[in-house]
Amino acid sequence: DVLDPERLVQCPYNKHHRIRACRFPYHLVKCRKSYPEVAKGLATCPFNARHLVPQAALGDHIANCNDRAFLEQDTVNESSGTQREGTNTVSTWKAPPCDEDWET
């Protein structure tokens, strides 16, 4: 299950590292500092920063990335207005008339 926070994910910097998905972003930051030479050869996916692939394979990854579908669906929803319906409405509420005069 891709959404399971306890599933193990393989580190792109060191193939022997297996990290729980919920800790993976923190591990990436730490491991990037430990393996700067490996980091130079990896590129970050524009759809998911957790996807680090060899720079030569980035084009193939972008074409086949599962997260691309989510981003494209969000873009379609925004352009068709289905996601933002009702958020740009202007309130027509007006304060009721007040007979009190606080100055007197």
Side-chain angles (χ1 to χ4, degrees):
D1 183 19
V2 222
L3 300 176
D4 180 15
E6 296 301 317
R7 72 182 163 82
L8 294 177
V9 180
Q10 185 177 16
C11 173
Y13 300 109
N14 183 331
K15 303 298 180 192
H16 299 289
H17 292 175
R18 308 248 319 144
I19 303 93
R20 289 181 300 140
C22 61
R23 297 290 309 156
F24 193 63
Y26 306 104
H27 179 83
L28 287 177
V29 171
K30 185 182 89 171
C31 235
R32 167 168 270 183
K33 293 176 185 174
S34 300
Y35 298 95
E37 289 303 314
V38 177
K40 287 179 186 175
L42 296 177
T44 304
C45 171
F47 306 116
N48 187 335
R50 295 177 184 190
H51 297 170
L52 297 169
V53 295
Q55 289 179 353
L58 183 61
D60 290 334
H61 175 81
I62 289 173
N64 300 314
C65 182
N66 292 334
D67 291 329
R68 178 181 180 164
F70 293 121
L71 184 65
E72 288 175 346
Q73 185 60 44
D74 286 345
T75 305
V76 167
N77 287 345
E78 277 186 21
S79 65
S80 68
T82 57
Q83 197 174 38
R84 298 198 181 257
E85 270 182 36
T87 57
N88 293 334
T89 58
V90 177
S91 174
T92 57
W93 182 85
K94 293 188 175 149
C98 181
D99 294 334
E100 295 179 350
D101 183 4
W102 287 59
E103 300 297 324
T104 56

